[in-house]
Amino acid sequence: MPTCARRGGVCTARQNIMQYNTEQQEAILHEKGPALVLAGPGSGKTAVITGRVQALIQQYQIPPSQILVVTFTRAAAREMEERFRRESGGAAAVTFGTIHAICYKILKISRPRAAYSILSAKGRRRLLQEILSETGHELSPDRLDELEAEVLKAKSAETPLSGSGGVLPPELFEQVLTAYEAGRRERGLLDFEDLIRECLELFEDPAVLAWWRNRFRYLLVDEFQDVNELQYRFLQKLAGNRRNLFVVGDEDQTVYGFRGARQRIILDFPKQFPGAKIIRLSACYRCAPMILAAAGNMIRCNRLRFSKTLRSRSEEHTVPQLRVYSEKRDELADIARQIRKMIERGGDPDQIAVLCRTRYGLRQTAAVLWKQKIPYRSPEMPEGDGETPAARDIFAYLRLAEGGSTREDYLRIANKPLRYLPRRAFVSPQVGREALWRFAADRPSLQDALLRLFFDLDRMAALRPYARIEYLRREMGLEKYYREQEAEKGREKGQITELLDRLQEESAPFATAAEWESAREEMKQETAEDVKTPAVRLMTMHGAKGLEFDTVFLPGLNEGVIPGPKSISEEDVEAERRLLYVAMTRARRDLKMSFVTKHRGTRLYPSRFLKETGLKAEKGP
């Protein structure tokens, strides 16, 4: 370590370095050349990055303007920059930002006369919906989410417009992708990945590339396991022959494969940069020892990973909980009861999280929390199934069963399934049964259809919404009708069954359709972030990455959920195991996992990953 010289910065650096453990110090004091820091959950990666920036400036006398810190999200960039400014005692000309923000900055400086307009997430979704409509296809909200991810993943590959698709057949996917690119260009808009391609094209000019390499001589990259091929190519170009590329990540937390993240990039870093220093941060300051042990037992079953072991530095000695329930409603009801008890005993709702595998699992959980008057926040809540035609049909049936009589509701369900009831039978804004009966007075076939409809509605009136939907699906033949419609329109088989399952599960806590509809309306308001009001966090496993909580609930850990139904290959299964590892290691003190044994009479099995944790399941109340 250099001796104290002209300024007091070196002495300050010496004093600051003592607050870090030995492995962190080794990473912070790395001066030149490539380095890979393997930073597991809770190992202090942010502290290492900000500490190294300070060391570069104070100890190695590197001008701050030559240091570039690359993060995965804007929030992470803000947090890291604020932390650095607090710890360094003032402002410095270090650049913090996402790859996309940095590319935008480079383009604006190098091509000041060019106009760069970014396609928003909403704009992208609208464009895809327009393209699908033109091809005669319709996707449910969750399938549209998947299609968006596949489009962005294809664009992040080294070869543009590559990808086989998954939601759509490969040929149709290529057609949609091509139309999407054409539509984007016609509007004069760029995707985030287009910014990177524009930068790489700019770097084809040796003079421009040399200028930016001199501008950013030291590159520090956070969450390196999440970069895709295009982003990695950009980083390699910018690093150049100096190879001052300092990357921090954890291959065990590569969970954004659906966005194009390639685990092989971090695994192959030592091959791509021969002689790179590899530093393992083995101390975990977040998770209680037994939580970390259970998660570690599981993740070691993955083959594609670096050999490493995390050791907990937490003083908590809690035991992770694994419970088994008969039905989903029992599982969620017990989770709500446990949360209520925690809050009543003085627990901080902000430190409690329920993490679901899918966004639609959030709606089921939110319905139960809303019913129990437990405050929650869920910025990831999907738009919901309520706007789909089938959902509107379901709610029309439920309202009519509860005494409703609007013409709109009758027209929605009159011939679903087919009853040959003509539109002219429903004239008035409010339709009475007597008027319908008079209309069918001399039509025996219509009388039979109306009698059966009235009978079914009366039977449903005595049931709760969950049972009403079951009656609609099985006794009235509504699900069969929808499946036939799916086949006729060439839609993906099984979508309607999944939709009806989700709606039925969401309806379980409610006694009436009116109560359920009221809850759905209020639940829309709960999705916004309101940091002023303490509330339980309701998030997906993906969305919780980078966060931590005192207590974490992980419901629905069944085969077919995690790993998901499309996880066939060993690579896919390992990706799902990494996702559960990330979810488990969000917990500091209490980890409560659970699964169910049946769904609608079908036997379900626990996720294979649960056995790997070494935990024993206990029966839930």
Side-chain angles (χ1 to χ4, degrees), residues 190-250:
L190 297 177
D191 257 334
F192 283 136
E193 300 309 302
D194 295 319
L195 290 173
I196 301 177
R197 291 191 186 279
E198 290 281 330
C199 259
L200 289 172
E201 181 184 309
L202 182 69
F203 287 168
E204 292 299 313
D205 183 333
V208 173
L209 179 58
W211 193 91
W212 283 105
R213 282 177 174 173
N214 283 325
R215 172 72 169 80
F216 295 127
R217 290 171 174 251
Y218 290 82
L219 277 64
L220 294 82
V221 184
D222 186 24
E223 302 286 11
F224 185 65
Q225 76 279 349
D226 292 328
V227 302
N228 60 42
E229 292 175 345
L230 205 60
Q231 293 165 348
Y232 186 41
R233 191 170 144 211
F234 167 80
L235 293 170
Q236 287 175 305
K237 274 279 189 183
L238 202 53
N241 294 331
R242 288 193 184 91
R243 304 199 316 157
N244 287 331
L245 187 58
F246 181 92
V247 300
V248 182
D250 180 11

Side-chain angles (χ1 to χ4, degrees), residues 564-604:
K566 295 182 181 178
S567 300
I568 306 300
S569 68
E570 183 177 2
E571 182 181 355
D572 291 338
V573 172
E574 289 205 359
E576 293 282 286
R577 188 181 282 112
R578 291 195 298 269
L579 181 57
L580 184 54
Y581 175 75
V582 166
M584 292 174 69
T585 54
R586 299 310 94 193
R588 283 192 287 257
R589 187 178 65 220
D590 294 310
L591 175 63
K592 299 175 183 292
M593 304 189 293
S594 56
F595 62 94
V596 299
T597 58
K598 62 181 179 179
H599 172 65
R600 297 176 55 76
T602 301
R603 184 177 179 185
L604 299 180

Side-chain angles (χ1 to χ4, degrees), residues 147-179:
L147 178 61
E148 283 189 76
E150 287 176 3
V151 166
L152 295 179
K153 181 178 180 179
K155 292 194 63 174
S156 71
E158 281 281 0
T159 305
L161 299 187
S162 66
S164 59
V167 175
L168 301 175
E171 290 184 6
L172 179 58
F173 177 73
E174 292 292 337
Q175 179 185 340
V176 169
L177 195 53
T178 302

Side-chain angles (χ1 to χ4, degrees), residues 25-245:
Q25 289 181 33
E26 183 182 4
I28 288 168
L29 295 176
H30 176 75
E31 182 181 4
K32 294 181 180 179
L36 168 61
V37 179
L38 296 173
S43 60
K45 65 181 180 63
T46 302
V48 163
I49 292 173
T50 55
R52 180 172 186 255
V53 172
Q54 288 190 64
L56 287 173
I57 297 170
Q58 297 175 355
Q59 188 159 326
Y60 299 119
Q61 311 301 305
I62 305 300
S65 61
Q66 294 182 2
I67 302 172
L68 172 64
V69 181
V70 180
T71 63
F72 194 65
T73 66
R74 285 179 294 179
R78 285 194 301 270
E79 178 188 350
M80 200 167 290
E81 183 171 10
E82 289 170 3
R83 178 168 182 166
F84 168 71
R85 291 181 185 279
R86 285 196 308 270
E87 293 176 353
S88 63
V94 178
T95 299
F96 292 83
T98 65
I99 287 183
H100 303 116
I102 291 159
C103 285
Y104 186 79
K105 178 178 181 178
I106 290 173
L107 290 170
K108 293 297 287 184
I109 292 174
S110 296
R111 293 175 177 170
R113 295 182 181 179
Y116 297 101
S117 299
I118 309 301
L119 180 62
S120 68
K122 288 184 178 179
R124 179 171 60 243
R125 194 177 185 89
R126 280 196 301 269
L127 179 55
L128 285 173
Q129 286 174 321
E130 290 173 13
I131 294 168
L132 287 170
S133 178
E134 290 172 2
T135 62
H137 283 75
E138 180 182 335
L139 293 178
S140 61
D142 57 328
R143 287 288 192 265
L144 189 57
D145 288 342
E146 291 180 36
L147 178 61
E148 283 189 76
E150 287 176 3
V151 166
L152 295 179
K153 181 178 180 179
K155 292 194 63 174
S156 71
E158 281 281 0
T159 305
L161 299 187
S162 66
S164 59
V167 175
L168 301 175
E171 290 184 6
L172 179 58
F173 177 73
E174 292 292 337
Q175 179 185 340
V176 169
L177 195 53
T178 302
Y180 171 79
E181 285 295 273
R184 174 189 62 74
R185 284 192 293 268
E186 286 173 8
R187 292 163 172 79
L189 298 171
L190 297 177
D191 257 334
F192 283 136
E193 300 309 302
D194 295 319
L195 290 173
I196 301 177
R197 291 191 186 279
E198 290 281 330
C199 259
L200 289 172
E201 181 184 309
L202 182 69
F203 287 168
E204 292 299 313
D205 183 333
V208 173
L209 179 58
W211 193 91
W212 283 105
R213 282 177 174 173
N214 283 325
R215 172 72 169 80
F216 295 127
R217 290 171 174 251
Y218 290 82
L219 277 64
L220 294 82
V221 184
D222 186 24
E223 302 286 11
F224 185 65
Q225 76 279 349
D226 292 328
V227 302
N228 60 42
E229 292 175 345
L230 205 60
Q231 293 165 348
Y232 186 41
R233 191 170 144 211
F234 167 80
L235 293 170
Q236 287 175 305
K237 274 279 189 183
L238 202 53
N241 294 331
R242 288 193 184 91
R243 304 199 316 157
N244 287 331
L245 187 58

